[in-house]
Structure formats: C-alpha cells, structure tokens
Amino acid sequence: MNTFQPVSRTRVADQIAVAIRGAVLAGKYTPGERLPSERDLASQFDVNRSSVREAIHSLEAWGLVEVRHGGGVTVRDFLAGAGLHLLPWLLAPNGRVDPAMMHDLLTLRTELLGFTGAQAASRATAQDIAALQRALDALDLARGVDAIQEADYAFFETLIVASGNQVLRLMLSAIGAAYQQNRVQFAALYPQDRMVTLAHHAAVAAIQRSDSEAAGEAMRLYGAAALVAWSDQAERRVMDTSSDETERVGHGR
C-alpha cells in the first residue's frame, strides 16, 4: 500500500521533501527506521529518481534523515539532532496541533517572557523604552483577534530587542515562524473582542523604573495565564470528544 500520492510537476523536489517531512514528524516513520528506496518513492510520487534524490538532500539538511551509502536513508531522532527550525511543523504536523508540543511551547514561553522582561528592565535604553511604549499603545488600540495577535507579538519582539540578549533574538525567528504558521491555534488564547493588557502595562512601568523583579513577574504571569487558557481548552476538547463518542455508542445500540 502506497503511503504517498503523486504530486504536480511544479517544484517537485520541494513538494516531495515536505510530504516526507510531514510523514516523519507525524510518526509514520520512527527514528532508526529506513525510508522506502528511491525507486519506491519515485513510483509512489510518480516522479523521476533525481527529484526524490534532491528531496532527500533537503531532508538531510533539516536533520530528519541520515543518508548511508549502500545502507539507504534512515530516519534520525530529530528532537536530538535537528533544531528549532522544525518547531513550526512539530507544533501542528499535518495541520493538527500536537497538544503535548503546544503545552511544552507555552511552558517555555512563560519562562522566556519572565526572563526577557527582567533582562529588559536592567538593560533597556531610553530608545528601547520608547519603542516599548509605542508597542503598548498599539496593543491598547488593537481590536479583533487578528489585530490583537499581531500587536501582542510585536510587543514581544520589541521586548526581546530591549533585553539586549542576542541569543533570544536568534530564537525569536523560530518562535515567530511557529506563531505565524499556526495562527489559528494561537488565536484560541485570545478573547474574541479584546485582551486585557494589565500585565503589559505593569511590565513597561517596571522597565521604566529598572525593576527587574517586577517586570519579570508581570510577563511570567501573563505567559502562565495563556498556558492555563490552553490547558482548559484542551481539557474541554477531550471532554467534548468523549461526549460525542458516548453519544455515538448510545445511538448504535
């Protein structure tokens, strides 16, 4: 039975790489398992072997597979061998959010927000503080989930710049890609009309007076609230699924 479907001839190798990446991240192939041969993959995708070979090179560059001469292509333990560039696809493989991965991300986000707020309070320049105030003003004016999301993320970007931490700025690109690629999932963390920005105001006020402890605590509590909101929503989804299943069983009797 074929795992993959034929693809169109436009950017064939890229499409193949994306399809195989999705299968690997979704667990259809586990670490240590060999992928089908080039010939088999070419047949499944209905393409020539050179396109498959090019796709395999992309998968190898992403840290998903290991190419062994004479030994085929083996799936790697990508959590150990790859990097944050895979986060957007790990968060929602095949378009469906991974609850455990989202929980882990929001847990880390909580601590990063706290750390970043504290760092900004001790290192922000006058220009940084002015930029934070502008970002806060934009957040206050935002209406609707999409606008609030954009303004909130812009505030986070500005806070990271104000922290002066270069590694955080490098991490931001991966976190930003995960955010932009999974906006629907993150939208669930926001109210339908307006987000309370008390934590943001408290953080900016603390940064203005160089109070690292207060700035860090304000942002950490904001992150923790999002984690609680996500956990509550995930629990409701489980309960709704269980209720639907019970109802189907009852109708089937």
Side-chain angles (χ1 to χ4, degrees), residues 133-202:
Q133 186 61 58
R134 289 193 297 272
L136 180 60
D137 292 342
L139 183 57
D140 282 335
L141 293 172
R143 296 295 185 274
V145 173
D146 287 344
I148 291 170
Q149 276 189 282
E150 289 289 348
D152 186 39
Y153 188 74
F155 180 89
F156 179 48
E157 287 183 307
T158 308
L159 187 67
I160 284 182
V161 172
S163 77
N165 190 299
Q166 297 180 75
V167 175
L168 276 177
R169 295 188 71 175
L170 289 172
M171 292 175 65
L172 179 65
S173 61
I175 295 173
Y179 173 83
Q180 294 295 342
Q181 192 164 310
N182 298 280
R183 289 176 62 89
V184 173
Q185 285 79 14
F186 281 99
L189 301 177
Y190 297 90
Q192 292 303 306
D193 53 357
R194 177 148 185 78
M195 179 181 62
V196 176
T197 59
L198 291 178
H200 300 73
H201 280 274

Side-chain angles (χ1 to χ4, degrees), residues 24-26 29 31 62-64 75-83 86 90:
V24 170
L25 297 182
Y29 295 97
W62 291 335
L64 290 174
V75 175
R76 297 184 61 187
D77 180 355
F78 49 82
L79 289 179
L86 289 180
L90 284 169

